[in-house]
Amino acid sequence: MAAKKKEVVLQININSQELWEEMLCLKGLIVVDVFQAWCGPCKTVVDLFRKLRNEVGSDLLHFAVAEVDSIDALEKYRGTCEPVFLFFAGGELVAVVRGVNAQLLQKTILEQLAVERKVLEHGGECMVVQDGAFSREEGHRAALQAEQGEG
């Protein structure tokens, strides 16, 4: 009797703060599609991710989907339906792509993967970025402070 083919999981499903923290410990580049429960992860990029995984074939490239409502670390991404892709290396945010732009996503993945390989092979640190996204609540608070002259 022939053995069943083991199905390879393309994307890790992150739905808790615990899983989020475990995912950040993975070695290599992690591309995370952050989404709201009511609009779901971006399905249009799955084929691109699959293609890149087949071309690159690296165990240093990981894809994940993360529901913002169940992960405290992603609170600032709640309340929007625009696709956001976060790139992590060494547990740090190294790039952000907003919207579904296949060419930009592919370029960013390949560039960040090359940087991460260099960091892992030759030492050094990756370039950490700050994402300027903030939640609606923070936006309302900032607007009120500006109106009141506190900002």
Side-chain angles (χ1 to χ4, degrees):
M1 184 174 192
K4 287 186 179 181
K5 244 186 179 180
K6 183 180 178 188
E7 187 175 326
V8 176
V9 176
L10 179 65
Q11 295 178 314
I12 305 164
N13 187 18
I14 309 297
N15 56 14
S16 72
Q17 186 67 32
E18 261 182 67
L19 289 173
W20 176 259
E21 290 167 11
E22 285 178 26
M23 182 266 315
L24 289 177
C25 294
L26 292 173
K27 184 177 177 182
L29 179 69
I30 308 155
V31 181
V32 184
D33 174 3
V34 295
F35 69 93
Q36 300 280 329
W38 48 269
C39 68
C42 185
K43 291 179 177 30
T44 60
V45 297
V46 173
D47 288 337
L48 172 66
F49 289 171
R50 187 172 287 115
K51 176 183 169 241
L52 284 170
R53 163 79 74 203
N54 290 335
E55 287 176 6
V56 175
S58 176
D59 59 347
L60 295 178
L61 179 59
H62 310 279
F63 297 106
V65 292
E67 184 184 335
V68 299
D69 294 322
S70 58
I71 302 167
D72 293 338
L74 297 175
E75 181 179 10
K76 66 183 173 182
Y77 298 99
R78 294 177 186 162
T80 180
C81 64
E82 176 187 36
V84 177
F85 300 90
L86 305 177
F87 296 73
F88 289 89
E92 299 290 343
L93 183 65
V94 295
V96 178
V97 172
R98 294 184 190 301
V100 181
N101 179 333
Q103 289 178 330
L104 181 58
L105 274 169
Q106 181 169 345
K107 179 182 176 218
T108 305
I109 290 168
L110 295 175
E111 286 174 355
Q112 292 299 327
L113 185 58
V115 168
E116 181 62 5
R117 280 189 178 135
K118 285 180 185 175
V119 167
L120 291 171
E121 290 173 9
H122 305 291
E125 294 181 11
C126 52
M127 177 77 129
V128 177
V129 299
Q130 295 293 318
D131 185 15
F134 52 85
S135 69
R136 285 183 181 169
E137 183 179 317
E138 289 171 325
H140 292 303
R141 214 176 302 131
L144 283 173
Q145 287 175 345
E147 280 177 21
Q148 297 169 354
E150 299 171 13

